[in-house]
Amino acid sequence: MSVGSGTRKLALILAAVTAISVPAAAYFAAEAFMRHKLQSYLDTTAQTVLQRIDGAVDRALVSLHDAETRNVAGCSPTDREALRVLVFESPVLKELAVHGPDGAVRCNNIGSLVQITPASTPFVTANPRVSLAVAVTRGAHGRALRVFWNPDGTILYGGIMSVGLFVPHQVIQRGNSGLGIDVELVPGGRLVSVRGAGAVEGSRQFSAVAVSGSYPIRVVATASEGAWRLEHGGIIWLAVVVGIVLAGLMAAVLLAICRRRDPMADMHRALVNGEFIPYYQPILDIDTGRIIGCEVLVRWRKPDGTIIPPGAFIGEAERSGFIFPLTLDLMRQAAAEVGSLYAARPHMKCGFNLCAAHFQDQSIVEDVINVFSGTELKLNQVLLEVTERDPLPDMELARAIIARFQDLGVRVALDDVGTGHGGMSYLLKLRVDVMKIDKLFIDAIGSERQSTAIVDSLIDLAAHLNLDVVAEGVETFDQVEALRRRGVRSAQGYVFAPPLPGSSFVQLVEAMEPAAATAWLPRKKSLRG
Ligand code: C2E
Ligand code: CA
Ligand code: CA
């Protein structure tokens, strides 16, 4: 797969965007995750504290209710003993007292009056017999929650609970996240307000509120984001590191795509730079040994001087349509390079390779006329080769194009005969002027091992259709001799010359075919016309 320059630019931009955005996204995602964790930690903490308080109040009420069922109404030794046992057995009550309807203490478990300063009025709960109040007790308990059980209006049982129980020890101890717990009675009355160490000044505060469904109690848990970040910020940096690694990988993949060579863009650039150049392979009259023409074969000469043969790029050029500008460019270069050589040797032909796509659009005729008009290479010196290897999609159109070329004096050859799709039908339908027999069959000549039946029948066929024959890929003198015996007049191949750069071809022709001599040398029939 290759990528175009537009895609390359896009990939570069994407690589840059990825390198910045992925670590940034990882940072923000980790931060959002961390805040979410902080929020859910506070939610859970507030709920946990509230459940403890609800449970403690429930237990206290069980003890108060027990006092009622034991008929503790005064302050007899039995009453006091019952109160003492109830406080002793309760995990939450610090004191239990029996009050008269006026609220005055009749008896308690201790035996002396506990100094209590009310910090809130009693609030009636969902159950009208139960009310809660905040008080400050003198002595060990400090701020306390008072719970009242009022069974019938004639007697009141009151319990005191130390609020220190309500806040789980580990919550306050938990690191230095600055966790704070506030517990209050809902209409007003602060019960607990504790702050963990480590709150970060000026940092954003997060909070969660839990409200009891049974009692007018509310718990607020707060923490400073800064403190939480100090404890848990490692995850953010871990995410950023993972983000950077990921971004690096993604950017590397994108950059690798960018660096991939784009053959089409390379070819277009090379065409503009004049890197595609024509080589010329001489075609000889094997009877006289004279050069009667050439075939133009493209070469890609890279800026470092490397010569790339057409097999490496012509397929892609044909598939992509690049072959159209390439072919015209080669024709233009050849006309400029060998035009005057040809003008002085009118009998010589110059062959160019066309591909199947060229025979799908009549405009190739105008293109050829235009490219040679005003040059020294005349249309009647031009030979166009159409290969038999690739199928021609529209035979009628191909024939019409060939006919127009022939009317202009351009000659047309069927290339690679014997190897492709067309066979006999191409020769009959296209009505070309020249048959080029592929090297594959020429190889058979001059070797004892292989049959020459195909070459013989192709030569016969050409004679019947009145076509000139060019033998391609002739490598030995035995082959030259064998072809001569069979009446073949024209050949090209390494035995004579490989494809040559323009200057070498011009030198060779000038040496072998002096311009002055060509005027009086008797012409023999070859490459008709
Ligand atoms: P082709 O048209 O059949 O060209 C003949 C090929 O045989 C050339 O290969 C030539 O260098 C090679 N050749 C010539 N004599 C001998 C020989 O004695 N022995 C051997 N082993 N090879 C010989 P080249 O130049 O590599 O071109 C390969 C093919 O690329 C051509 O085959 C033609 O199909 C295509 N091609 C070359 N130039 C063009 C072009 O300008 N346009 C198009 N459409 N195709 C081109
Ligand atoms: Ca050819
Ligand atoms: Ca050929």
mmCIF file of all heavy atoms in Angstrom, residues 317-338:
data_model
loop_
_atom_site.group_PDB
_atom_site.id
_atom_site.type_symbol
_atom_site.label_atom_id
_atom_site.label_comp_id
_atom_site.label_asym_id
_atom_site.label_seq_id
_atom_site.Cartn_x
_atom_site.Cartn_y
_atom_site.Cartn_z
ATOM 1 N N ALA A 317 2.688 2.323 -13.782
ATOM 2 C CA ALA A 317 2.404 3.467 -14.654
ATOM 3 C C ALA A 317 1.173 3.188 -15.516
ATOM 4 O O ALA A 317 0.335 4.064 -15.720
ATOM 5 C CB ALA A 317 3.612 3.761 -15.536
ATOM 6 N N GLU A 318 1.053 1.945 -15.995
ATOM 7 C CA GLU A 318 -0.101 1.608 -16.841
ATOM 8 C C GLU A 318 -1.380 1.573 -16.011
ATOM 9 O O GLU A 318 -2.408 2.074 -16.437
ATOM 10 C CB GLU A 318 0.139 0.250 -17.529
ATOM 11 C CG GLU A 318 1.204 0.370 -18.627
ATOM 12 C CD GLU A 318 1.413 -0.902 -19.447
ATOM 13 O OE1 GLU A 318 0.743 -1.922 -19.165
ATOM 14 O OE2 GLU A 318 2.245 -0.858 -20.356
ATOM 15 N N ARG A 319 -1.292 0.991 -14.825
ATOM 16 C CA ARG A 319 -2.497 0.898 -13.976
ATOM 17 C C ARG A 319 -2.989 2.272 -13.560
ATOM 18 O O ARG A 319 -4.178 2.519 -13.471
ATOM 19 C CB ARG A 319 -2.198 0.073 -12.717
ATOM 20 C CG ARG A 319 -2.272 -1.427 -12.930
ATOM 21 C CD ARG A 319 -2.172 -2.158 -11.613
ATOM 22 N NE ARG A 319 -0.889 -2.000 -10.967
ATOM 23 C CZ ARG A 319 0.201 -2.703 -11.310
ATOM 24 N NH1 ARG A 319 0.142 -3.607 -12.275
ATOM 25 N NH2 ARG A 319 1.339 -2.502 -10.689
ATOM 26 N N SER A 320 -2.051 3.184 -13.305
ATOM 27 C CA SER A 320 -2.449 4.479 -12.743
ATOM 28 C C SER A 320 -2.791 5.522 -13.799
ATOM 29 O O SER A 320 -3.297 6.581 -13.462
ATOM 30 C CB SER A 320 -1.299 5.023 -11.894
ATOM 31 O OG SER A 320 -0.191 5.272 -12.736
ATOM 32 N N GLY A 321 -2.455 5.237 -15.064
ATOM 33 C CA GLY A 321 -2.700 6.250 -16.101
ATOM 34 C C GLY A 321 -1.496 7.152 -16.309
ATOM 35 O O GLY A 321 -1.483 8.007 -17.198
ATOM 36 N N PHE A 322 -0.463 6.967 -15.481
ATOM 37 C CA PHE A 322 0.757 7.760 -15.625
ATOM 38 C C PHE A 322 1.417 7.500 -16.978
ATOM 39 O O PHE A 322 2.187 8.308 -17.490
ATOM 40 C CB PHE A 322 1.712 7.410 -14.472
ATOM 41 C CG PHE A 322 3.026 8.121 -14.530
ATOM 42 C CD1 PHE A 322 3.122 9.474 -14.267
ATOM 43 C CD2 PHE A 322 4.187 7.426 -14.853
ATOM 44 C CE1 PHE A 322 4.335 10.125 -14.327
ATOM 45 C CE2 PHE A 322 5.412 8.074 -14.916
ATOM 46 C CZ PHE A 322 5.477 9.430 -14.641
ATOM 47 N N ILE A 323 1.068 6.340 -17.553
ATOM 48 C CA ILE A 323 1.656 5.955 -18.841
ATOM 49 C C ILE A 323 1.352 6.988 -19.941
ATOM 50 O O ILE A 323 2.158 7.163 -20.858
ATOM 51 C CB ILE A 323 1.157 4.539 -19.252
ATOM 52 C CG1 ILE A 323 2.005 3.948 -20.370
ATOM 53 C CG2 ILE A 323 -0.311 4.549 -19.649
ATOM 54 C CD1 ILE A 323 3.393 3.577 -19.961
ATOM 55 N N PHE A 324 0.212 7.706 -19.820
ATOM 56 C CA PHE A 324 -0.137 8.674 -20.881
ATOM 57 C C PHE A 324 0.862 9.819 -20.954
ATOM 58 O O PHE A 324 1.470 10.031 -22.002
ATOM 59 C CB PHE A 324 -1.575 9.184 -20.694
ATOM 60 C CG PHE A 324 -2.618 8.104 -20.869
ATOM 61 C CD1 PHE A 324 -3.262 7.556 -19.782
ATOM 62 C CD2 PHE A 324 -2.922 7.612 -22.129
ATOM 63 C CE1 PHE A 324 -4.201 6.550 -19.936
ATOM 64 C CE2 PHE A 324 -3.861 6.597 -22.297
ATOM 65 C CZ PHE A 324 -4.505 6.066 -21.203
ATOM 66 N N PRO A 325 1.044 10.573 -19.854
ATOM 67 C CA PRO A 325 2.052 11.640 -19.954
ATOM 68 C C PRO A 325 3.455 11.085 -20.198
ATOM 69 O O PRO A 325 4.251 11.706 -20.908
ATOM 70 C CB PRO A 325 1.977 12.354 -18.592
ATOM 71 C CG PRO A 325 1.285 11.410 -17.675
ATOM 72 C CD PRO A 325 0.372 10.583 -18.526
ATOM 73 N N LEU A 326 3.741 9.898 -19.639
ATOM 74 C CA LEU A 326 5.079 9.322 -19.793
ATOM 75 C C LEU A 326 5.368 9.037 -21.268
ATOM 76 O O LEU A 326 6.432 9.388 -21.798
ATOM 77 C CB LEU A 326 5.185 8.032 -18.960
ATOM 78 C CG LEU A 326 6.496 7.266 -19.115
ATOM 79 C CD1 LEU A 326 7.680 8.092 -18.616
ATOM 80 C CD2 LEU A 326 6.456 5.932 -18.358
ATOM 81 N N THR A 327 4.407 8.406 -21.968
ATOM 82 C CA THR A 327 4.618 8.039 -23.372
ATOM 83 C C THR A 327 4.852 9.289 -24.229
ATOM 84 O O THR A 327 5.778 9.331 -25.057
ATOM 85 C CB THR A 327 3.391 7.265 -23.896
ATOM 86 O OG1 THR A 327 3.191 6.133 -23.046
ATOM 87 C CG2 THR A 327 3.584 6.809 -25.327
ATOM 88 N N LEU A 328 4.013 10.319 -23.998
ATOM 89 C CA LEU A 328 4.157 11.533 -24.809
ATOM 90 C C LEU A 328 5.498 12.209 -24.525
ATOM 91 O O LEU A 328 6.146 12.743 -25.431
ATOM 92 C CB LEU A 328 2.993 12.496 -24.528
ATOM 93 C CG LEU A 328 1.617 11.977 -24.975
ATOM 94 C CD1 LEU A 328 0.522 12.975 -24.629
ATOM 95 C CD2 LEU A 328 1.587 11.677 -26.480
ATOM 96 N N ASP A 329 5.909 12.143 -23.254
ATOM 97 C CA ASP A 329 7.188 12.751 -22.895
ATOM 98 C C ASP A 329 8.348 12.041 -23.597
ATOM 99 O O ASP A 329 9.280 12.683 -24.099
ATOM 100 C CB ASP A 329 7.359 12.680 -21.372
ATOM 101 C CG ASP A 329 8.565 13.465 -20.902
ATOM 102 O OD1 ASP A 329 8.522 14.707 -20.977
ATOM 103 O OD2 ASP A 329 9.555 12.830 -20.474
ATOM 104 N N LEU A 330 8.258 10.698 -23.648
ATOM 105 C CA LEU A 330 9.322 9.935 -24.325
ATOM 106 C C LEU A 330 9.351 10.273 -25.811
ATOM 107 O O LEU A 330 10.423 10.406 -26.419
ATOM 108 C CB LEU A 330 9.075 8.434 -24.157
ATOM 109 C CG LEU A 330 9.345 7.866 -22.764
ATOM 110 C CD1 LEU A 330 8.837 6.445 -22.666
ATOM 111 C CD2 LEU A 330 10.843 7.906 -22.459
ATOM 112 N N MET A 331 8.162 10.406 -26.402
ATOM 113 C CA MET A 331 8.091 10.741 -27.836
ATOM 114 C C MET A 331 8.733 12.101 -28.085
ATOM 115 O O MET A 331 9.514 12.283 -29.025
ATOM 116 C CB MET A 331 6.628 10.750 -28.290
ATOM 117 C CG MET A 331 6.017 9.358 -28.375
ATOM 118 S SD MET A 331 4.251 9.441 -28.743
ATOM 119 C CE MET A 331 3.917 7.715 -29.120
ATOM 120 N N ARG A 332 8.410 13.058 -27.185
ATOM 121 C CA ARG A 332 8.953 14.399 -27.324
ATOM 122 C C ARG A 332 10.488 14.354 -27.214
ATOM 123 O O ARG A 332 11.197 14.927 -28.043
ATOM 124 C CB ARG A 332 8.400 15.270 -26.184
ATOM 125 C CG ARG A 332 7.957 16.637 -26.619
ATOM 126 C CD ARG A 332 7.205 17.351 -25.505
ATOM 127 N NE ARG A 332 5.786 17.037 -25.483
ATOM 128 C CZ ARG A 332 5.118 16.558 -24.440
ATOM 129 N NH1 ARG A 332 5.743 16.323 -23.303
ATOM 130 N NH2 ARG A 332 3.826 16.319 -24.513
ATOM 131 N N GLN A 333 10.980 13.622 -26.235
ATOM 132 C CA GLN A 333 12.439 13.546 -26.036
ATOM 133 C C GLN A 333 13.112 12.869 -27.231
ATOM 134 O O GLN A 333 14.161 13.311 -27.700
ATOM 135 C CB GLN A 333 12.765 12.737 -24.786
ATOM 136 C CG GLN A 333 12.407 13.431 -23.493
ATOM 137 C CD GLN A 333 13.013 12.684 -22.303
ATOM 138 O OE1 GLN A 333 14.224 12.524 -22.210
ATOM 139 N NE2 GLN A 333 12.161 12.223 -21.414
ATOM 140 N N ALA A 334 12.480 11.784 -27.714
ATOM 141 C CA ALA A 334 13.079 11.056 -28.840
ATOM 142 C C ALA A 334 13.117 11.957 -30.078
ATOM 143 O O ALA A 334 14.128 12.004 -30.792
ATOM 144 C CB ALA A 334 12.289 9.782 -29.126
ATOM 145 N N ALA A 335 12.021 12.706 -30.319
ATOM 146 C CA ALA A 335 11.980 13.588 -31.500
ATOM 147 C C ALA A 335 13.110 14.605 -31.415
ATOM 148 O O ALA A 335 13.773 14.915 -32.409
ATOM 149 C CB ALA A 335 10.626 14.282 -31.577
ATOM 150 N N ALA A 336 13.357 15.120 -30.199
ATOM 151 C CA ALA A 336 14.406 16.124 -30.048
ATOM 152 C C ALA A 336 15.791 15.499 -30.194
ATOM 153 O O ALA A 336 16.702 16.087 -30.781
ATOM 154 C CB ALA A 336 14.273 16.788 -28.672
ATOM 155 N N GLU A 337 15.933 14.260 -29.692
ATOM 156 C CA GLU A 337 17.257 13.643 -29.618
ATOM 157 C C GLU A 337 17.702 13.038 -30.949
ATOM 158 O O GLU A 337 18.862 13.140 -31.335
ATOM 159 C CB GLU A 337 17.222 12.550 -28.536
ATOM 160 C CG GLU A 337 18.507 12.328 -27.813
ATOM 161 C CD GLU A 337 18.303 11.533 -26.522
ATOM 162 O OE1 GLU A 337 17.241 10.873 -26.370
ATOM 163 O OE2 GLU A 337 19.188 11.562 -25.676
ATOM 164 N N VAL A 338 16.760 12.362 -31.626
ATOM 165 C CA VAL A 338 17.169 11.674 -32.860
ATOM 166 C C VAL A 338 16.478 12.248 -34.094
ATOM 167 O O VAL A 338 16.612 11.706 -35.194
ATOM 168 C CB VAL A 338 16.902 10.137 -32.773
ATOM 169 C CG1 VAL A 338 17.656 9.535 -31.603
ATOM 170 C CG2 VAL A 338 15.407 9.825 -32.673
#
